[in-house]
Coordinates of all heavy atoms in Angstrom, one line a residue:
V1283 N 162.6 89.0 45.8 CA 161.8 87.9 46.0 C 162.2 87.0 47.2 O 161.5 86.2 47.7 CB 161.8 86.9 44.7 CG1 161.0 85.7 44.8 CG2 161.4 87.8 43.5
A1284 N 163.4 87.3 47.8 CA 163.9 86.6 48.9 C 163.0 86.8 50.0 O 162.8 85.9 50.9 CB 165.3 87.1 49.2
M1285 N 162.3 88.0 50.1 CA 161.3 88.2 51.1 C 160.1 87.2 51.0 O 159.5 86.9 52.1 CB 160.7 89.6 51.0 CG 161.8 90.7 51.2 SD 161.1 92.3 51.1 CE 160.1 92.3 49.7
C1286 N 159.7 86.8 49.8 CA 158.6 85.9 49.8 C 159.0 84.4 49.8 O 158.2 83.5 49.7 CB 157.8 86.2 48.5 SG 158.6 85.6 47.1
G1287 N 160.2 84.1 50.2 CA 160.7 82.8 50.3 C 159.9 82.0 51.4 O 159.5 80.7 51.2
S1288 N 159.4 82.6 52.5 CA 158.7 81.9 53.4 C 157.3 81.6 53.0 O 156.7 80.8 53.5 CB 158.7 82.7 54.8 OG 158.1 83.9 54.5
V1289 N 156.8 82.5 52.1 CA 155.5 82.2 51.5 C 155.5 81.0 50.6 O 154.6 80.2 50.5 CB 155.0 83.4 50.7 CG1 153.8 83.1 50.1 CG2 154.9 84.6 51.6
C1290 N 156.6 80.7 49.8 CA 156.6 79.7 48.9 C 157.0 78.4 49.6 O 156.4 77.3 49.1 CB 157.7 80.0 47.9 SG 157.4 81.4 46.9
R1291 N 157.8 78.3 50.5 CA 158.1 77.0 51.2 C 158.1 77.2 52.7 O 158.9 77.9 53.2 CB 159.5 76.7 50.7 CG 159.7 76.2 49.3 CD 160.9 75.5 49.2 NE 161.1 75.0 47.7 CZ 161.9 75.6 46.9 NH1 162.9 76.4 47.2 NH2 161.9 75.1 45.6
P1292 N 157.1 76.7 53.3 CA 157.1 76.9 54.8 C 158.3 76.1 55.4 O 158.8 75.1 54.9 CB 155.8 76.2 55.1 CG 155.4 75.3 54.0 CD 156.2 75.8 52.8
K1293 N 158.7 76.5 56.5 CA 159.8 75.9 57.3 C 159.4 74.6 57.8 O 160.2 73.6 57.8 CB 160.3 76.8 58.4 CG 161.0 78.1 57.9 CD 161.4 78.9 59.0 CE 162.1 80.2 58.4 NZ 162.8 81.1 59.3
K1294 N 158.2 74.5 58.1 CA 157.6 73.3 58.8 C 156.6 72.7 57.8 O 155.7 73.4 57.4 CB 157.1 73.6 60.1 CG 156.5 72.3 60.8 CD 156.1 72.9 62.2 CE 155.4 71.6 62.8 NZ 154.8 72.0 64.1
H1295 N 156.8 71.4 57.4 CA 155.8 70.9 56.4 C 154.5 70.4 57.2 O 154.6 69.8 58.1 CB 156.4 69.6 55.8 CG 155.5 68.9 54.8 ND1 155.2 69.4 53.6 CD2 154.9 67.7 54.9 CE1 154.4 68.7 53.0 NE2 154.2 67.6 53.6
I1296 N 153.4 70.9 56.6 CA 152.1 70.6 57.1 C 151.5 69.6 56.3 O 151.4 69.8 55.1 CB 151.2 71.9 57.3 CG1 151.9 73.0 58.0 CG2 149.9 71.6 57.8 CD1 151.3 74.4 58.1
L1297 N 151.0 68.5 56.8 CA 150.5 67.4 56.1 C 149.1 67.9 55.4 O 148.4 68.5 55.9 CB 150.0 66.2 57.1 CG 151.0 65.1 57.1 CD1 150.5 64.1 58.1 CD2 151.4 64.6 55.7
G1298 N 149.1 67.4 54.1 CA 147.9 67.7 53.3 C 147.8 69.1 52.8 O 146.8 69.4 52.2
R1299 N 148.8 69.9 53.0 CA 148.7 71.3 52.6 C 150.0 71.7 51.7 O 151.1 71.5 52.1 CB 148.8 72.2 53.8 CG 148.2 73.5 53.7 CD 148.0 74.2 54.9 NE 147.6 75.5 54.6 CZ 147.7 76.5 55.4 NH1 148.1 76.3 56.7 NH2 147.3 77.7 55.1
K1300 N 149.7 72.1 50.4 CA 150.7 72.4 49.5 C 150.8 73.9 49.5 O 149.8 74.7 49.4 CB 150.4 71.9 48.2 CG 150.6 70.5 47.9 CD 150.4 70.1 46.5 CE 150.5 68.7 46.3 NZ 150.3 68.3 44.8
M1301 N 152.0 74.4 49.5 CA 152.3 75.8 49.4 C 152.8 76.2 48.0 O 153.7 75.6 47.6 CB 153.3 76.4 50.4 CG 152.8 76.3 51.9 SD 151.4 77.4 52.2 CE 152.3 78.9 52.3
H1302 N 152.1 77.1 47.4 CA 152.6 77.5 46.0 C 152.9 79.0 46.1 O 152.4 79.8 46.8 CB 151.4 77.4 45.0 CG 150.9 76.0 44.8 ND1 151.7 75.1 44.1 CD2 150.0 75.2 45.3 CE1 151.1 73.9 44.1 NE2 150.0 74.0 44.9
C1303 N 153.8 79.5 45.2 CA 154.1 80.9 45.1 C 152.9 81.6 44.7 O 152.1 81.3 43.8 CB 155.2 81.1 44.0 SG 156.8 80.9 44.6
G1304 N 152.5 82.5 45.5 CA 151.4 83.4 45.2 C 151.6 84.3 44.1 O 152.8 84.5 43.6
R1305 N 150.6 85.2 43.7 CA 150.7 86.2 42.7 C 151.8 87.2 43.0 O 152.5 87.6 42.1 CB 149.4 86.7 42.4 CG 148.4 85.8 41.9 CD 148.6 85.6 40.4 NE 147.6 84.7 39.8 CZ 147.8 83.9 38.8 NH1 149.0 83.9 38.2 NH2 146.8 83.1 38.4
L1306 N 151.7 87.5 44.3 CA 152.7 88.5 44.7 C 154.2 88.0 44.6 O 155.0 88.8 44.1 CB 152.5 88.9 46.2 CG 153.5 89.9 46.8 CD1 153.4 91.2 46.1 CD2 153.2 90.1 48.2
C1307 N 154.4 86.8 44.9 CA 155.8 86.2 44.8 C 156.2 86.1 43.3 O 157.2 86.6 42.9 CB 155.9 84.8 45.3 SG 157.5 84.2 45.4
Q1308 N 155.2 85.8 42.4 CA 155.5 85.8 41.1 C 155.8 87.1 40.4 O 156.7 87.3 39.7 CB 154.4 85.0 40.2 CG 154.3 83.6 40.5 CD 153.0 83.0 40.0 OE1 152.2 83.7 39.5 NE2 152.9 81.6 40.0
F1309 N 155.0 88.1 40.9 CA 155.1 89.4 40.5 C 156.6 90.1 40.9 O 157.3 90.7 40.1 CB 154.0 90.3 41.0 CG 154.1 91.8 40.6 CD1 154.0 92.2 39.3 CD2 154.6 92.7 41.6 CE1 154.1 93.6 38.9 CE2 154.7 94.1 41.2 CZ 154.5 94.5 39.9
L1310 N 156.9 89.8 42.2 CA 158.2 90.2 42.7 C 159.3 89.7 41.9 O 160.3 90.3 41.7 CB 158.3 89.9 44.1 CG 157.4 90.9 45.1 CD1 157.5 90.4 46.5 CD2 157.8 92.3 44.9
W1311 N 159.1 88.4 41.5 CA 160.2 87.8 40.8 C 160.4 88.4 39.3 O 161.5 88.5 38.9 CB 159.8 86.3 40.6 CG 160.9 85.5 39.9 CD1 162.1 85.0 40.4 CD2 160.9 85.1 38.6 NE1 162.8 84.4 39.4 CE2 162.0 84.4 38.3 CE3 160.0 85.2 37.4 CZ2 162.4 83.9 37.0 CZ3 160.3 84.7 36.3 CH2 161.4 84.1 36.1
L1312 N 159.3 88.8 38.8 CA 159.3 89.4 37.4 C 159.7 91.0 37.5 O 160.0 91.5 36.5 CB 158.0 89.3 36.7 CG 157.8 87.9 36.2 CD1 156.3 87.9 35.6 CD2 158.7 87.5 35.1
W1313 N 159.5 91.6 38.6 CA 159.7 93.0 38.8 C 160.9 93.6 38.2 O 160.9 94.5 37.4 CB 159.4 93.5 40.2 CG 159.5 95.0 40.3 CD1 160.5 95.7 40.9 CD2 158.7 96.0 39.9 NE1 160.3 97.0 40.9 CE2 159.1 97.2 40.2 CE3 157.3 95.9 39.2 CZ2 158.4 98.3 39.8 CZ3 156.7 97.0 38.9 CH2 157.3 98.3 39.3
P1314 N 162.1 93.0 38.5 CA 163.3 93.6 38.1 C 163.4 93.6 36.5 O 163.9 94.5 35.8 CB 164.5 92.7 38.7 CG 163.8 92.1 39.8 CD 162.4 92.0 39.5
Y1315 N 162.8 92.5 35.9 CA 162.9 92.4 34.5 C 161.9 93.4 33.8 O 162.2 94.1 32.8 CB 162.6 91.0 34.1 CG 163.5 90.0 34.6 CD1 163.2 89.1 35.6 CD2 164.9 90.0 34.2 CE1 164.1 88.3 36.3 CE2 165.8 89.0 34.8 CZ 165.3 88.2 35.8 OH 166.3 87.3 36.4
L1316 N 160.7 93.6 34.4 CA 159.7 94.5 33.9 C 160.1 95.9 34.0 O 160.0 96.7 33.0 CB 158.4 94.3 34.6 CG 157.7 93.0 34.3 CD1 156.4 92.9 35.3 CD2 157.2 92.9 32.9
S1317 N 160.8 96.2 35.0 CA 161.3 97.6 35.1 C 162.3 98.0 34.2 O 162.4 99.1 33.7 CB 161.7 98.0 36.5 OG 162.8 97.1 36.9
Y1318 N 163.3 97.0 33.9 CA 164.3 97.1 32.9 C 163.8 97.2 31.6 O 164.1 98.1 30.8 CB 165.3 96.0 33.0 CG 166.4 96.1 32.0 CD1 167.4 97.1 32.2 CD2 166.4 95.3 30.9 CE1 168.4 97.2 31.2 CE2 167.4 95.4 29.9 CZ 168.4 96.3 30.1 OH 169.4 96.4 29.1
V1319 N 162.8 96.4 31.1 CA 162.2 96.3 29.8 C 161.5 97.7 29.5 O 161.7 98.3 28.5 CB 161.3 95.2 29.6 CG1 160.5 95.3 28.5 CG2 162.0 93.9 29.7
Q1320 N 160.8 98.3 30.5 CA 160.2 99.5 30.2 C 161.1 100.7 30.2 O 160.8 101.5 29.3 CB 159.1 99.8 31.4 CG 158.3 101.0 31.2 CD 157.4 101.3 32.3 OE1 157.4 100.5 33.3 NE2 156.6 102.3 32.2
A1321 N 162.2 100.7 30.8 CA 163.2 101.9 30.8 C 163.8 101.9 29.5 O 164.1 103.1 29.0 CB 164.2 101.7 32.0

């Protein structure tokens, strides 16, 4: 998930724009747990 860090928090704050973790970021965060649970 470290790769998606820039997606979740921009380095420069842009007024009026909120950045949220996208679906990809959430999936990547869960991936290690999902692969372990299935095995």
Side-chain angles (χ1 to χ4, degrees):
V1283 181
M1285 297 183 310
C1286 71
S1288 60
V1289 174
C1290 295
R1291 290 195 182 116
K1293 292 183 182 184
K1294 185 176 172 184
H1295 180 69
I1296 302 173
L1297 262 181
R1299 206 168 168 194
K1300 288 185 180 179
M1301 293 294 283
H1302 297 283
C1303 276
R1305 295 280 181 209
L1306 176 62
C1307 186
Q1308 291 171 352
F1309 177 73
L1310 288 175
W1311 182 78
L1312 288 174
W1313 181 254
Y1315 303 104
L1316 292 175
S1317 63
Y1318 176 74
V1319 169
Q1320 185 179 2

